Amino acid sequence: MLVLLPPSEGKANSGEGAPLELRSLSLPGLTAAREAVLGELVGLCAGDTEKAREVLGLSEGLRGEVAKNAALRTAGTRPAGEIYTGVLYDALGLATLDAAGRRRAADSLLVFSGLWGAVRVTDRIPSYRCSMGVKLPGLGALAGHWRTPMAEVLPAVAGEGLVLDLRSSAYATAWRPKGEVAGRTATVRVLHAPTRKVVSHFNKATKGRIVRALLTSVAVPRDPAELVEALRELGYAVEAQAPGKPGKAWSLDVLVDEIH
């Protein structure tokens, strides 16, 4: 199983470990594309602070994020699973998984990023600020920048098993599974059952709980149909829409009564 996750807007501070080594990150086929974004971002943030804030869409209160980005090559690092914080990651609770759960997380979780493309939770990275919606002056829209290298690398990473896509729309544009991979991909929405609406905080928290439940259960779903069965056995109300034609993903709605 491969689980595609969005990053978090908020991030923990960089660690005290060794500085970033791009070639040590997972998915080495993305190294050149990562270097291009990193070089552009560091150069932008080392120059005109106001221009950098405008490009990155940062408020005055987030001015310090510009200096953080300027120092990315020398900043300390820590595992990506510790860098990403926020509602989904709090609910996922990587740090409190047992040894088996942590191994499954390391093998199956892939976090998408405007800066790194995608990383494993064990990859050591510094804290940064650069969303997929950013348009860097020299590279243009990051989603477009990542589309070709992702298309070359991700199908092999997906292997032959289930792909559970929990990304937000901005990150989904960087790579959309196609062909045979799409047929074993399931996208998930979390809906407030009484209103049939997506509530952002609720949506993120429930997705984090779903991933944790799958990592700690004995279930090993191999395709979307088995995923639906596994989620129902875990107590979730799931409505599934199988694709109407080959090359399309399954759509799953998880219905939850209480928002918390």
Side-chain angles (χ1 to χ4, degrees):
M1 177 175 67
L2 180 67
V3 182
L4 311 181
L5 296 174
S8 57
E9 281 294 313
K11 298 174 183 68
N13 291 329
S14 296
E16 297 181 355
L20 174 70
E21 176 48 66
L22 279 181
R23 295 189 181 280
S24 73
L25 300 182
S26 302
L27 283 60
L30 299 179
T31 300
R34 287 168 175 155
E35 178 58 50
V37 180
L38 180 64
E40 180 82 7
L41 182 63
V42 169
L44 171 71
C45 293
D48 186 331
T49 299
E50 294 308 311
K51 179 181 178 181
R53 280 208 305 123
E54 180 182 354
V55 170
L56 297 175
L58 300 178
S59 66
E60 175 64 31
L62 294 174
R63 175 181 291 272
E65 299 295 293
V66 175
K68 179 193 293 186
N69 283 348
L72 283 172
R73 292 191 186 276
T74 57
T77 58
R78 61 200 302 183
E82 297 177 13
I83 289 288
Y84 295 114
T85 59
V87 175
L88 187 154
Y89 291 90
D90 286 348
L92 172 53
L94 288 170
T96 60
L97 291 172
D98 62 17
R102 289 195 296 272
R103 285 195 297 271
R104 293 183 76 176
D107 291 339
S108 62
L109 303 187
L110 199 62
V111 184
F112 276 63
S113 162
L115 175 52
W116 317 116
V119 291
R120 301 283 189 184
V121 293
T122 51
D123 285 329
R124 298 190 67 91
I125 58 174
S127 185
Y128 67 97
R129 191 78 173 217
C130 185
S131 71
M132 190 65 79
V134 164
K135 295 182 179 180
L136 291 175
L139 292 179
L142 288 180
H145 170 76
W146 286 114
R147 209 161 284 139
T148 296
M150 288 283 196
E152 295 172 350
V153 170
L154 267 289
V157 177
E160 299 181 355
L162 168 70
V163 178
L164 174 55
D165 190 351
L166 301 178
R167 296 172 296 168
S168 55
S169 58
Y171 290 89
T173 59
W175 180 63
R176 297 189 188 278
K178 297 182 183 299
E180 182 269 336
V181 179
R184 47 188 167 85
T185 297
T187 63
V188 174
R189 296 189 307 172
V190 178
L191 303 180
H192 181 219
T195 64
R196 307 289 298 191
K197 292 181 179 180
V198 176
V199 180
S200 179
H201 176 97
F202 182 45
N203 174 59
K204 294 174 183 177
T206 303
K207 285 180 177 178
R209 295 186 189 107
I210 285 172
V211 176
R212 184 180 180 89
L214 289 170
L215 292 175
T216 57
S217 76
V218 296
V220 186
R222 294 167 294 183
D223 57 39
E226 290 188 8
L227 173 65
V228 172
E229 181 179 342
L231 291 177
R232 288 173 176 164
E233 290 179 354
L234 289 167
Y236 289 97
V238 181
E239 295 178 353
Q241 180 70 48
K245 57 183 178 180
K248 298 294 183 181
W250 285 56
S251 298
L252 275 56
D253 286 343
V254 176
L255 308 177
V256 189
D257 290 328
E258 297 182 0
I259 299 179
H260 56 87

